[in-house]
């Protein structure tokens, strides 16, 4: 089985992302490195780029890649209400041709009426995912409460192997408790309080991967550094396919 490997756009440094073309300029690199797709980050778009999502999606497909879309926002706001911009974000993901749309969970409370969420999810072919972020809302208990209260009807989970450490939780325990909900894995290692490439750190990331589903996409979300971006990206695409 060939594992799908996705390159998260912000794995590249700010200087490369600031070049003409922005995230679109990454597509030849990602494709040449043999990755299966790219995770497009909304926060890296300006208003002009947001008006050209259909064109960006077409270019992604021309490079033989699939698209995931990440929105730096929460599914539920601080008052516990559904994100009022959710339908717009789904529309953006659809324009992009994205397979998955990722949020942080935010401030979900068990028993919340999710009829509006169901209507939005049911009307789209885009799969909604919630991620363990670096806040208290991304802790194991919060995500368990979401999925056990019926969240599986609306979303899968993006499991970030490194973010658990920022909230002082154990990735291996999280994999045991939440692995059955996982649809996508953000791979990163953490060293001295910052995200690093996995082959420059201990094997906690590797042990977490071994405890998670083997048939879901794996995303490169750690710094891709070096003078040859294609070679560096290819190295980690191959590594995540093999582990």
């Amino acid at each position: 089985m060939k594992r799908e490997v996705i390159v998260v756009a912000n794995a590249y440094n700010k200087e490369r992302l600031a070049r003409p073309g922005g995230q679109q300029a990454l597509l030849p690199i990602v494709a040449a490195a043999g990755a299966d797709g790219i995770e497009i980050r909304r926060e890296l778009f300006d208003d002009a780029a947001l008006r050209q999502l259909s064109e960006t999606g077409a270019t992604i497909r021309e490079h033989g890649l699939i698209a995931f879309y990440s929105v730096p926002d929460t599914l539920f706001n601080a008052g516990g209400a559904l994100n009022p911009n959710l339908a717009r974000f789904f529309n953006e993901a659809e324009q992009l041709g994205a397979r998955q749309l990722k949020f942080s969970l935010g401030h979900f409370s068990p028993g919340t009426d999710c009829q509006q969420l169901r209507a939005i999810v049911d009307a789209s072919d885009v799969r909604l995912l919630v991620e363990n972020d670096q806040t208290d809302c991304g802790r194991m208990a919060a995500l368990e409460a979401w999925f056990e209260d019926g969240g599986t009807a609306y979303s899968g989970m993006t499991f970030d192997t490194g973010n658990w450490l920022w909230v002082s939780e154990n990735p291996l325990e999280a994999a045991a408790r939440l692995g059955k909900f996982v649809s996508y894995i953000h791979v990163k290692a953490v060293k001295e309080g910052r995200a690093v490439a996995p082959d420059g750190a201990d094997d906690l990331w590797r042990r977490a991967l071994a405890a998670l589903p083997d048939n879901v996409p794996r995303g490169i979300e750690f710094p891709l550094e070096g003078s040859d971006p294609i070679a560096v990206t290819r190295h980690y695409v191959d590594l995540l396919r093999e582990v």
Side-chain angles (χ1 to χ4, degrees), residues 15 20 23 55 68 73 94 145 147 154 157 160 171 194 218:
E15 290 74 21
Q23 294 183 84
E55 292 86 346
F68 289 1
D73 207 343
E94 290 161 2
F147 287 115
Y154 313 109
M157 179 181 173
D160 189 297
R194 63 186 184 91
R218 296 174 171 184

Side-chain angles (χ1 to χ4, degrees), residues 18-108:
R19 295 179 184 183
Q23 294 183 84
Q24 279 206 48
L26 302 176
L27 300 178
I29 298 171
V30 173
D36 297 284
I38 185 167
E39 181 181 315
I40 295 294
R41 309 286 293 202
R42 191 179 194 274
E43 68 269 26
L44 299 178
F45 279 143
D46 57 20
D47 290 342
L50 284 171
R51 291 192 292 269
Q52 298 174 342
L53 286 171
S54 295
E55 292 86 346
T56 299
T59 306
I60 291 170
R61 291 187 291 277
E62 287 169 5
H63 282 84
L65 299 170
I66 59 175
F68 289 1
Y69 191 42
S70 174
V71 173
D73 207 343
T74 57
L75 187 59
F76 295 93
N77 66 26
L82 187 67
N83 189 316
N85 297 312
L86 186 62
R88 183 179 77 184
F89 294 142
F90 261 91
N91 180 261
E92 290 175 358
E94 290 161 2
Q95 290 180 61
L96 194 62
R99 181 194 293 180
Q100 298 181 346
L101 170 61
K102 182 181 71 65
F103 290 85
S104 296
L105 176 60
H107 299 264
F108 170 73

